[in-house]
């Protein structure tokens, strides 16, 4: 069955952490707008340079740029069986564009998993985050440090701190989330698609809660254990 899932939540809520595991457990493809911009920047493309100028300030990249990038990505064959959207949509205009594009191919959004986490926890998570340059695994110096400082446990790659994870930029990203993205909670609630998940719990608990929320869409092998 094709299903499309959106992970909604503020910066630091755990969208990327959960999307990686959910993709492994469900076979859906993880599409993260922020990761696509960071990859474009590493490749030195025009899109990457443009996105950087917004990301470094904690501002949203203009809708038309993000929408074009995401719709091109979901048109690729590996997305045909369904997608976990991480960090997209983030505005009303993006939500409408996604819905219209999926409808053109008889597709739809099946569930929106909203991760709720209090602000003070978010800032600590963002300030402590370290990401592997090679495999993208995420650590946290406060909660889950890597065994060897600065080195990824999974692949031995170097860990780095995202340039938009300074306290000042993170605070601004939170403000932008509250004004521009939070209204989507109500948008998806009205459509009966929203599942609120307590994102303050530990990572495995959150994964299980997400799998339970998706239960009826999943193959038995992907169901959470009781
Ligand atoms: P993006 O890359 O999407 O960043 P974000 O939304 O700010 O979210 P984060 O990646 O910071 O948080 P996350 O929820 O993924 O948390 P994570 O799992 O890493 O966007 C960056 C920028 O790109 C934007 O500011 C904008 O400029 C641009 N952009 C992207 N998409 C756009 C769009 N659609 N439109 C316009 N512009 C766009 O976890 C965080 C930390 O917490 C980690 O250290 C992790 O290990 C830890 N952690 C996770 N879960 C738990 C837990 N349960 N308990 C304890 N610690 C945990
Ligand atoms: Mg992320």
């Amino acid at each position: 069955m094709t299903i499309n899932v959106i992970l909604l939540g503020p910066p630091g809520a755990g969208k990327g952490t959960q999307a990686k595991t959910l993709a492994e457990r469900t076979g859906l493809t993880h599409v993260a707008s922020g990761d696509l911009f960071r990859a474009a920047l590493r490749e030195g493309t025009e899109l990457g340079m443009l996105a950087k100028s917004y990301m470094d300030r904690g501002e949203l990249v203009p809708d038309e740029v993000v929408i074009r990038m995401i719709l091109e990505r979901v048109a690729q064959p590996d997305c045909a069986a369904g997608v976990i959207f991480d960090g997209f949509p983030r505005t009303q205009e993006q939500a409408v564009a996604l819905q219209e594009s999926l409808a053109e191919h008889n597709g739809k959004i099946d569930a929106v998993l909203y991760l709720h986490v209090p602000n003070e926890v978010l800032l600590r998570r963002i300030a402590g985050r370290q990401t592997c340059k090679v495999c993208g695994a995420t650590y946290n110096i406060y909660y889950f440090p890597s065994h060897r400082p600065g080195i990824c446990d999974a692949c031995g790659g170097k860990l780095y701190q995202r340039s938009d994870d300074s306290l000042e930029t993170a605070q601004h990203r939170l403000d932008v989330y509250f004004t521009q993205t939070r209204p989507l909670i109500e948008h998806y609630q009205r459509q009966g698609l929203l599942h609120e998940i307590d994102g303050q719990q530990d990572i495995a608990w959150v994964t299980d809660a997400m799998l339970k929320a998706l239960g009826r869409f999943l193959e038995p092998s992907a169901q959470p254990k009781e």
Side-chain angles (χ1 to χ4, degrees):
M1 190 197 309
T2 303
I3 67 165
N4 294 300
V5 179
I6 292 173
L7 298 195
L8 186 62
K15 303 181 297 293
T17 303
Q18 295 298 335
K20 228 169 179 297
T21 312
L22 283 182
E24 282 160 17
R25 297 276 292 268
T26 61
L28 300 174
T29 296
H30 176 196
V31 172
S33 41
D35 290 352
L36 290 173
F37 286 134
R38 284 182 286 275
L41 184 62
R42 278 195 300 277
E43 286 158 18
T45 66
E46 219 171 286
L47 172 70
M49 299 307 284
L50 174 77
K52 182 177 162 52
S53 64
Y54 292 92
M55 292 167 87
D56 280 351
R57 287 180 285 127
E59 296 287 343
L60 294 185
V61 177
D63 281 335
E64 63 274 17
V65 175
V66 190
I67 290 169
R68 193 176 336 117
M69 174 182 77
I70 291 290
L71 297 188
E72 275 174 24
R73 177 67 189 90
V74 298
Q76 288 169 17
D78 63 333
C79 291
V83 171
I84 299 169
F85 291 96
D86 160 8
F88 181 92
R90 255 171 154 100
T91 63
Q92 184 79 20
E93 195 170 340
Q94 293 177 21
V96 171
L98 178 62
Q99 223 144 336
E100 286 177 356
S101 165
L102 290 172
E104 279 170 23
H105 305 94
N106 295 323
K108 60 179 180 8
I109 299 298
D110 296 283
V112 178
L113 306 179
Y114 161 53
L115 276 169
H116 176 77
V117 182
N119 260 11
E120 60 281 7
V121 178
L122 294 171
L123 283 174
R124 194 168 162 84
R125 283 192 188 174
I126 293 172
R129 172 170 48 198
Q130 290 188 313
T131 309
C132 175
K133 268 194 171 153
V134 181
C135 74
T138 307
Y139 300 86
N140 194 289
I141 55 170
Y142 303 118
Y143 303 111
F144 332 97
S146 55
H147 289 109
R148 282 183 297 158
I151 306 287
C152 178
D153 293 343
C155 76
K158 256 196 170 163
L159 303 182
Y160 76 102
Q161 187 179 32
R162 270 170 47 179
S163 60
D164 59 346
D165 277 351
S166 68
L167 203 55
E168 196 187 339
T169 311
Q171 182 60 60
H172 187 59
R173 279 158 56 206
L174 282 174
D175 295 342
V176 167
Y177 167 80
F178 283 110
T179 51
Q180 302 197 50
T181 307
R182 198 169 54 168
L184 291 183
I185 295 172
E186 211 179 295
H187 172 86
Y188 289 119
Q189 210 157 25
R190 278 197 302 270
Q191 299 184 9
L193 294 173
L194 198 83
H195 302 262
E196 181 166 335
I197 311 267
D198 180 0
Q200 225 186 324
Q201 303 294 329
D202 69 43
I203 290 177
W205 187 99
V206 175
T207 306
D208 263 17
M210 289 186 156
L211 289 169
K212 277 188 191 130
L214 296 178
R216 68 193 174 91
F217 299 111
L218 300 178
E219 303 288 337
S221 59
Q223 302 274 353
K225 293 165 199 72
E226 284 305 326

